[in-house]
Amino acid sequence: MKRIIYLFAVLILLVGADQAIAAEISGYVKDNADNKALAGVQVFVKNKNIATTTDKNGFYKINAESGDLLMFSYIGYKTKVVKVPKSNSLNVLLDQGNNQLEEVVVESYGRPRHADGKVVGSTNMGVRIAMPRPMDSETYQDIKENTFLSPLKDPLSTFAVDVDAASYSNVRRMINAGQLPPKDAVRVEEMINYFQYNLNPPTNGDPVKIYTELSVAPWNPEHKLMRIALKAKNMPTEKLPASNFVFLIDVSGSMFGPNRLPLVKSSLKLLVDQLRPEDKVAIVTYAGSAGLKLKSTSGSQKMTIKQAIDELEAGGSTAGGAGIKLAYNIAKENFIKDGNNRIVLATDGDFNVGASSDEAMEDLISRERQSGVNLTVLGYGMGNLKDSKMEILANKGHGNYAYIDNISEARKAMVTEFGGTMFTVAKDVKIQVEFNPAYVQAYRLVGYENRLLAAEDFNNDTKLGGDMGVGHTVTALYELIPTGIISQIFGKVDPLKYQKDKQAPAGANNGELATVKFRYKEPTSDRSKLQQQVVSDKAIAIENASEDFRFATAVAEFGMLIRNSEFKQKANFQRLITRAKAAKGKDDEGYRAEFIRMAENSKSLFDTNGFKESE
């Protein structure tokens, strides 16, 4: 009997000793080159089912034992394996490199857990760890680039504005992974409009103010470049209308992995922190079916909302259509008159149950948008991203679309640009430009290919335009071939045999290059208002143009290069990088500096792969 008691006591001591060895290891992960914090780094305890990710400051904490191996993995960087030290602190520096990992399955009967002990998820036979995958199943809408048009044959250019910025962060993700993006992933207007520009908001009560600027096209000095910019009004947070949010969260199996559902949770909790007591949030989830996770709850109950978010787990198929229908029903049940009624959809867009085709989803959203409920789409994940579906949803749902690849991007959308992302001040915004053929031989709208409208749509209030949020800026660039310039890029046709060729009308030499008109509706109105502005034929040298204009031209030139545009002409990485550096201006958040680094990395990728910058 004494021997049994003795053995039992020894066993308790051994168990206690084993538990004493386990500890919470914490530290920071940074870029070895510039000591910059890396957010979203995946941290695994090798051969164990424990994982976590770094926060926006590069900080992590994870349960591990002395002697365990920690694996630090981040797309675009070399994976690093480090032995856990005797101390509880471990800081790591990662080197940039081409790290494009596949999805792997770790066979185990346990379930992976975060440092706080909460279950990450599992399969029936093992643990599925979704790592970054090649982009072979990502889908993008085909883009047929805008060409040069003659103002004699096509006197009007009409399009809906676009404040989406998803293309920029998605392209950045690929370049950071050491890959050049597919050309249809590059929407030049979204690259340009990722950045905020220094424009004064309207002061006369209008929700939007228009600006124009004319200079020389940096990639072809014989051509001119016209900038049209819109600036939405600013509103302090306390004056924003009360919000009725419905978080619609994809919890299907495709959302499993550190860069997907865990990043969704972190993103939405940043948004929850912005809520006021008069705001409310409901949570709808969908996988094989849709369900109400949290009924509409006051913004004062932040812990309740965050707890519901933390409880989410990924698994199953993707009934996106059912989720969207339920979310609209919940939003309409809790509708706030004259308020901000909005669904926030977080997904990779991989719908595979019920209404799932691009046409079916467009149909569904088109029917629901009349309800007064707007839609914000947040895209996540890599390797399986259905960009084409999410862009359609945002365009047809009176909303916007952002791609969230890390916690820094989530902070930009949810905190820094909270008002612009979540609160509409002008809807159905359209632009129409009439060019004077006495000065313009041909014109080309740079980007906006999927936002073009027929000329008659401009005055038709039933035709959708784009929506602008609080403080938003929109920039559009037109490349112009002046009259008298012999251009190889703009083709000529033989003289007509049976009718006279059109000529510029007499008396058109009045100094007016173009007339820019734009329409918009107040958020609660169905009738549009019109404003217009004349642009004179007085171009200034590019070095004398505003910082914003010069920076926007650098981003546009970059976009044309990486999509290998037919119209890139003499575009050049080094020149656009130099111009961007000179026009960086005030850059508190570091977004412009980040662009410059991305352009430099892209130049290296072009050089490495033997691509030509220009003909």
Side-chain angles (χ1 to χ4, degrees), residues 8 21 78 167 215 229 233 248 315 405 483 485:
F8 186 70
I21 293 172
K78 296 177 182 177
S167 180
S215 185
K233 67 181 180 181
L248 176 56
D405 57 334
T483 54
I485 297 295

Side-chain angles (χ1 to χ4, degrees), residues 209-280:
K209 186 175 181 179
I210 185 171
Y211 293 86
T212 58
E213 198 168 358
L214 184 67
S215 185
V216 174
W219 48 86
N220 188 338
E222 290 188 329
H223 293 183
K224 294 179 181 178
L225 199 64
M226 184 177 81
R227 177 195 182 200
I228 301 170
L230 300 179
K231 172 67 175 180
K233 67 181 180 181
N234 294 324
M235 291 177 67
T237 302
E238 61 271 14
K239 291 189 177 181
L240 292 173
S243 291
N244 162 36
F245 287 121
V246 177
F247 293 171
L248 176 56
I249 306 173
D250 182 352
V251 293
S252 64
S254 66
M255 290 295 288
F256 185 81
N259 63 326
R260 301 187 187 199
L261 187 57
L263 184 55
V264 170
K265 294 180 181 181
S266 299
S267 304
L268 293 179
K269 285 190 283 187
L270 287 175
L271 177 54
V272 170
D273 287 336
Q274 311 306 309
L275 299 179
R276 304 158 299 175
E278 59 265 35
D279 302 326
K280 53 187 178 182

